[in-house]
Amino acid sequence: MGLVFVRCEAVVQRRGLPGRRAVSADLFRRGGRFILQPRLNSSVLGGDSWLSIVVKRGKTSRWCSDADIAIRSTTSKGKRMAEQFYTVASDSETTGEDKSQLSFPDVAIGIDIGTSKCSVAIWNGHQVELLKNTRNQKGMRSYVMFKDDTLSAGVTGGAAQESAHEERDILSGSAIFNMKRLIGRMDTDEVVQASKTLPFLVQTLGIGVRPFIAALVNNMWRSTTPEEVLAIFLLELKALVEMHLKHPVRNAVLTIPVAFSRFQQTRIERAFAMAGLHVLRLMPEPTAVALLYAQQQQQLMHDNMGSGIEKIALIFNMGAGYSDAAVAATAGGVSQIRALSGCTVGGEDILQNIMRHVLPNFDSLYDGHTVDRIKSMGLLRIATQDAIHKLANQESVDINIDLGNGQKVSKVLDHSEFEQVNRAIFEKCEKIIIQCLVDAKLEPEDINDVILVGGCSKIPRIRSLVLGLCKKEVSYKNIDALEAAVSGAAMEGAIASGVTDPSGSLDLLTIQATPMNLGIRADGNNFAAIIPRNTTVPARRDMLFTTTHDNQTEALIAVYEGEGEQAEDNHLLGYFKIAGIPPAPKGSVEISVCMDIDASNVLRVFAGVVKPQGPAIPPFIEVRMPTLDDGHGWCGQALAKMYGKTIDLAVLPKKLQP
Amino acid sequence: MISPRPALSPGFLAFRPAGSPAASPPPSPRPHAPPPLSASFSSSAAVTAAPDHTAASSSFYDVLGLRPGASAREIKAAYRRLALAVHPDAAPHPSAEDFIRVHAAYSTLSDPDKRADYDRRLLLSAAVGRRRAHPVSLGRSPSFPARRSRRTWETDQCW
């Protein structure tokens, strides 16, 4: 299907609103049709209807009406017109209004964006179906290739024969990948720091701003952002699904790592919006697997609900970028998430550890990002990846590779060495599993099934580690390690879209829990958790705070998310000030801070003075979080610098609460 | 770490009044309007919310549609059945309020310790009601199944 991506200018007018605006847009060619997509950052959200669009390219400008947008390429006298003559004829028979009334079932699709691979699944009316790309792959490599003014993403992998991308091309510096690790992270983040050894450019200043990311195009570094790369990728993915379904797709259920912060979630939703997709639900990956498990269990034991027998599953998911663990209690198609935990270790870390191990001067070698060095870095990456895959099935593996420039690697790697080198990673995996069991208040004996998913679940050490902690001999068999998460997401998509199945196979429910503590800064720099992790959502909790100074009239509510005891060890989500507190001795005022998470996982924070009461008290404040966009690494420090402790809060000791 | 604060509140007021602003739920946190659900929203409420005289008409058992002696299995089954009926993801007329209430009931009744606490207080409040007619206190009866492993201050102040 070969998507070609051309930047152009479009003038848009929103239906029902006066005035025209120029936005930049991308024109895709898909088969014989053109698709116009407003460009990123053009404050245009996909899925909107537009009254008119002018596509300008070169000296030509043409009008088109209706913009959802099917633009036909026209032929003139049987001859194809020159590339810049995009005749922008609308699908005249369908205005935007008609389109919205077209009777296609608007069922959300399931998307699993992996650090390394991505897959998409739909509910086809009877069951979940994973879609394949033109190369017949269900797991599509997650990357976007930048070439001149053509961009192509890993969905098609340069489907046209002449442009098919091999792993070598992907590692040439021209492709951006690992978006899921980079998105929504600041340049002080250790994950971003570790990404500097990737073939494309990740530049950091170490000051808490977003990193500079660039792809090599014609021997120049061209800058981009993880959101932009992801959006381009999603556009191709969306096109693939629409080709298959033959109707537009608007909604998606996306699986995300447990360790994703709310800030990262907003960035990924932004990328989806840029691609014209609305994120109906964000599901932590193991919970999507839990849903699939719940369905399988329900089919096994039809009438189980009345008896209330639950089956407890421990789900461990390890992909290229993240590891997650979850404990789910399932009965009667209802899967209750008892505990969640996750961390940022994955196959990428294993790969980097092994690369450093076989080539000790790895870091210094790849400092400059010259073309030569990128090339040898790519060769090493491919060879190491191969070796790790082989090691899953054999005792030891030879790594023999000529990196050019006189650099050669020749090494035999066996299991014990592999495990030694990656010991820290395995320890982190153990930690999240143990934390999950403790949080769920379960002993290993309580676990009925251990479900291992994700690409790294094939690593023997990972399998033995998880099974060992759960005191099990074998893992659950009926789940495909690479397809489970996306299948669960597609099922959730169908359920959340209101699809019912006569056979009852969609009478399912996942009761989610919060993966991280949510709270505010109080008692100096401490973190007071208002909604502790593993609280069932929808949830609403409140807590009382008081002033720390006499006659304090203002109080700062700084909202954080995370596991650290100190506020600054956590992610700052946003902040606001309560003003107009009546003057009173310190500790006598009561300020209520309430946090509310709805079923769509939206977090709202309510705060206000509850004591003393009276007409002089200012109204409560409601803030939807996160409010911070970029540079949130700075905000905490800036607040501290500006206000010091003058508008701090303290937790009101429980015993003194009325 | 915890800032000292003068003891303002009389120790016997174990429970926030139903209209307590602190328990007032969003989306309209009006300090003076009583919330539709009682104080069971505060972070400790699942443990400590009491079947006081106002809530007695809707005990956690009533919320789950069970009798007080229900087995753990019945509680789990009832929770799941209700979750399918009221959870915003599953219900045709979703209500986060209802689900939060069902879950609060379940989280207390599914934990043996919390349930024992709750049962005890439920009995006590029933006894208080009955005492007006028959002055017999069950609360300190030696036969009362006092299965409590954890004492919380609010609970202690109930007695």
Side-chain angles (χ1 to χ4, degrees):
Chain A
M1 59 190 251
L3 278 171
V4 181
F5 199 96
V6 183
R7 299 183 180 195
C8 59
E9 291 292 315
V11 178
V12 297
Q13 183 179 0
R14 191 164 217 169
R15 191 182 296 277
L17 290 177
R20 287 182 190 150
R21 290 182 299 144
V23 297
S24 39
D26 293 309
L27 201 54
F28 290 82
R29 190 176 68 210
R30 192 176 72 205
R33 289 163 67 85
F34 286 91
I35 301 170
L36 190 70
Q37 185 73 44
R39 263 195 86 71
L40 327 165
N41 308 326
S42 58
S43 71
V44 172
L45 292 186
D48 282 336
S49 281
W50 301 88
L51 188 63
S52 58
I53 280 187
V54 178
V55 174
K56 291 180 183 165
R57 186 161 166 83
K59 290 175 183 167
T60 320
S61 75
R62 296 288 171 92
W63 279 89
C64 84
S65 62
D66 179 39
D68 228 59
I69 286 160
I71 306 162
R72 294 201 192 103
S73 78
T74 53
T75 53
S76 168
K77 292 171 189 165
K79 203 174 100 189
R80 197 157 181 136
M81 292 174 86
E83 182 86 336
Q84 63 265 49
F85 289 91
Y86 290 113
T87 298
V88 193
S90 74
D91 265 17
S92 51
E93 59 275 34
T94 52
T95 68
E97 275 156 26
D98 290 343
K99 268 190 181 174
S100 62
Q101 286 163 12
L102 282 183
S103 60
F104 60 84
D106 199 3
V107 179
I109 58 172
I111 297 180
D112 176 16
I113 304 264
T115 306
S116 150
K117 284 191 176 166
C118 169
S119 47
V120 59
I122 55 161
W123 176 260
N124 69 8
H126 316 283
Q127 61 186 40
V128 168
E129 180 184 344
L130 263 79
L131 300 189
K132 291 178 183 169
N133 65 4
T134 45
R135 297 169 129 197
N136 214 25
Q137 296 163 321
K138 286 183 188 166
M140 300 161 235
R141 190 82 167 82
S142 306
Y143 69 89
V144 168
M145 178 76 79
F146 290 68
K147 260 184 189 162
D148 300 323
D149 44 355
T150 311
L151 305 178
S152 58
V155 175
T156 52
Q161 288 303 321
E162 73 272 16
S163 62
H165 303 143
E166 300 299 335
E167 193 67 15
R168 221 177 22 238
D169 303 323
I170 298 169
L171 298 177
S172 66
S174 304
I176 306 279
F177 52 93
N178 279 16
M179 294 84 87
K180 192 160 117 182
R181 280 203 132 191
L182 293 166
I183 197 163
R185 286 186 192 276
M186 296 298 121
D187 64 357
T188 41
D189 196 310
E190 57 182 24
V191 175
V192 174
Q193 296 289 334
S195 301
K196 290 203 282 194
T197 56
L198 296 174
F200 56 91
L201 193 64
V202 178
Q203 209 180 66
T204 59
L205 293 167
I207 55 168
V209 292
R210 55 163 58 200
F212 176 80
I213 291 165
L216 194 60
V217 185
N218 295 334
N219 214 21
M220 287 240 299
W221 290 112
R222 181 187 286 174
S223 84
T224 181
T225 63
E227 291 85 346
E228 187 178 45
V229 173
L230 194 59
I232 294 163
F233 184 86
L234 286 166
L235 277 171
E236 271 200 12
L237 201 64
K238 185 174 172 230
L240 174 83
V241 179
E242 289 177 348
M243 286 258 290
H244 180 89
L245 291 176
K246 300 186 178 64
H247 64 69
V249 170
R250 293 187 207 287
N251 295 320
V253 171
L254 173 71
T255 60
I256 50 163
V258 172
F260 246 39
S261 71
R262 280 182 177 267
F263 178 69
Q264 288 180 292
Q265 292 176 13
T266 61
R267 300 318 295 172
I268 217 157
E269 280 173 340
R270 171 89 185 120
F272 270 71
M274 290 192 286
L277 284 167
H278 169 66
V279 178
L280 199 62
R281 289 279 186 282
L282 286 169
M283 286 187 105
E285 275 155 36
T287 71
V289 178
L291 186 61
L292 184 64
Y293 175 76
Q295 190 208 32
Q296 293 181 349
Q297 294 306 308
Q298 193 192 21
Q299 283 172 349
L300 282 177
M301 294 171 278
H302 258 307
D303 46 5
N304 201 20
M305 190 160 75
S307 65
I309 294 171
E310 355 173 75
K311 289 196 89 176
I312 309 231
L314 181 124
I315 299 151
F316 183 75
N317 170 45
M318 188 173 184
Y322 295 87
S323 299
D324 316 295
V327 170
T330 295
V334 178
S335 173
Q336 189 203 354
I337 306 302
R338 290 271 200 90
L340 280 174
S341 61
C343 62
T344 317
V345 300
E348 179 67 34
D349 301 283
I350 293 178
L351 182 64
Q352 294 213 5
N353 282 347
I354 300 291
M355 287 199 289
R356 283 200 176 84
H357 180 66
V358 300
L359 189 68
N361 61 341
F362 174 80
D363 286 292
S364 63
L365 187 67
Y366 297 125
D367 244 4
H369 267 82
T370 62
V371 176
D372 270 4
R373 286 178 173 187
I374 292 170
K375 196 176 167 193
S376 47
M377 192 186 324
L379 291 172
L380 179 65
R381 224 182 135 88
I382 293 171
T384 312
Q385 208 152 22
D386 255 18
I388 294 171
H389 289 161
K390 282 182 184 155
L391 215 50
N393 298 313
Q394 57 195 55
E395 278 306 305
S396 69
V397 63
D398 290 340
I399 305 177
N400 276 307
I401 179 144
D402 185 348
L403 299 176
N405 305 331
Q407 287 264 358
K408 280 192 177 144
V409 169
S410 181
K411 180 123 186 109
V412 180
L413 186 69
D414 65 13
H415 275 278
S416 64
E417 212 173 339
F418 176 82
E419 280 160 28
Q420 184 64 36
V421 171
N422 292 303
R423 180 192 279 184
I425 290 174
F426 298 135
E427 280 170 1
K428 280 189 184 165
C429 295
E430 273 185 4
K431 207 179 126 200
I432 62 168
I433 295 168
I434 292 169
Q435 189 198 313
C436 237
L437 287 171
V438 170
D439 286 354
K441 300 190 187 104
L442 291 173
E443 297 298 320
E445 291 77 14
D446 300 325
I447 304 287
N448 297 99
D449 284 306
V450 174
I451 304 174
L452 287 163
V453 288
C456 289
S457 66
K458 295 195 163 67
I459 295 173
R461 177 75 192 113
I462 294 288
R463 300 187 71 82
S464 64
L465 176 157
V466 183
L467 290 171
L469 284 174
C470 299
K471 298 188 180 164
K472 292 282 173 304
E473 297 294 316
V474 288
S475 61
Y476 183 69
K477 289 270 188 307
N478 300 330
I479 269 181
D480 183 301
L482 300 179
E483 298 176 3
V486 74
S487 305
M491 237 182 259
E492 176 74 18
I495 296 165
S497 307
V499 178
T500 52
D501 191 60
S503 70
S505 61
L506 283 181
D507 294 343
L508 303 170
L509 173 66
T510 313
I511 301 172
Q512 294 280 4
T514 54
M516 277 181 265
N517 296 326
L518 288 162
I520 68 168
R521 194 176 79 98
D523 296 329
N525 200 25
N526 284 330
F527 176 58
I530 296 176
I531 299 187
R533 69 163 184 261
N534 298 321
T535 299
T536 294
V537 286
R540 184 182 305 129
R541 298 287 172 94
D542 60 29
M543 216 164 149
L544 289 178
F545 296 85
T546 188
T547 49
T548 55
H549 301 280
D550 291 339
N551 300 324
Q552 183 180 334
T553 54
E554 294 188 328
L556 178 70
I557 312 283
V559 179
Y560 287 85
E561 174 187 57
E563 301 304 306
E565 286 184 11
Q566 297 285 301
E568 62 202 14
D569 299 338
N570 300 303
H571 304 277
L572 179 61
L573 296 178
Y575 44 83
F576 57 97
K577 210 167 67 171
I578 294 177
I581 302 171
K586 68 176 178 185
S588 59
V589 172
E590 284 176 17
I591 292 164
S592 167
V593 179
C594 175
M595 292 190 166
D596 178 275
I597 304 174
D598 68 15
S600 310
N601 198 32
V602 174
L603 171 67
R604 287 186 177 81
V605 180
F606 301 84
V609 178
V610 293
K611 190 182 170 191
Q613 294 188 356
I617 302 299
F620 264 58
I621 294 179
E622 172 188 338
V623 184
R624 187 177 162 155
M625 293 283 163
T627 57
L628 287 183
D629 202 16
D630 277 345
H632 63 297
W634 280 349
C635 292
Q637 292 167 27
L639 285 169
K641 197 175 160 193
M642 186 76 178
Y643 297 102
K645 293 180 190 292
T646 55
I647 53 174
D648 272 9
L649 282 176
V651 176
L652 193 59
K654 271 254 166 62
K655 295 205 173 192
L656 299 180
Q657 288 185 17
Chain B
M1 177 176 147
I2 293 173
S3 308
R5 182 178 171 279
L8 295 171
S9 47
F12 292 102
L13 283 179
F15 303 107
R16 251 177 238 157
S20 159
S24 180
S28 52
R30 288 158 304 187
H32 304 290
L37 304 171
S38 65
S40 52
F41 295 132
S42 72
S43 37
S44 58
V47 195
T48 56
D52 62 350
H53 60 282
T54 54
S57 56
S58 63
S59 75
F60 286 160
Y61 293 102
D62 295 336
V63 169
L64 294 182
L66 297 168
R67 60 199 160 72
S71 70
R73 182 178 286 193
E74 284 169 331
I75 289 168
K76 280 180 180 170
Y79 172 63
R80 291 205 150 75
R81 193 178 57 240
L82 284 168
L84 275 172
V86 301
H87 191 283
D89 274 354
H93 304 291
S95 160
E97 301 287 332
D98 287 348
F99 178 73
I100 288 174
R101 184 165 53 175
V102 166
H103 186 78
Y106 172 72
S107 68
T108 295
L109 299 186
S110 62
D111 181 311
D113 292 340
K114 290 182 195 168
R115 184 180 177 187
D117 256 359
Y118 179 83
D119 283 351
R120 191 168 186 178
R121 284 185 284 142
L122 196 63
L123 254 174
L124 183 74
S125 72
V128 168
R130 224 172 301 145
R131 191 163 42 198
R132 288 177 192 133
H134 317 279
V136 180
S137 171
L138 289 178
R140 298 287 178 194
S141 155
S143 65
F144 188 80
R147 205 179 130 217
R148 286 202 305 156
S149 62
R150 189 169 17 174
R151 292 166 70 91
T152 59
W153 69 272
E154 279 142 320
T155 321
D156 295 343
Q157 288 172 351
C158 297
W159 301 103

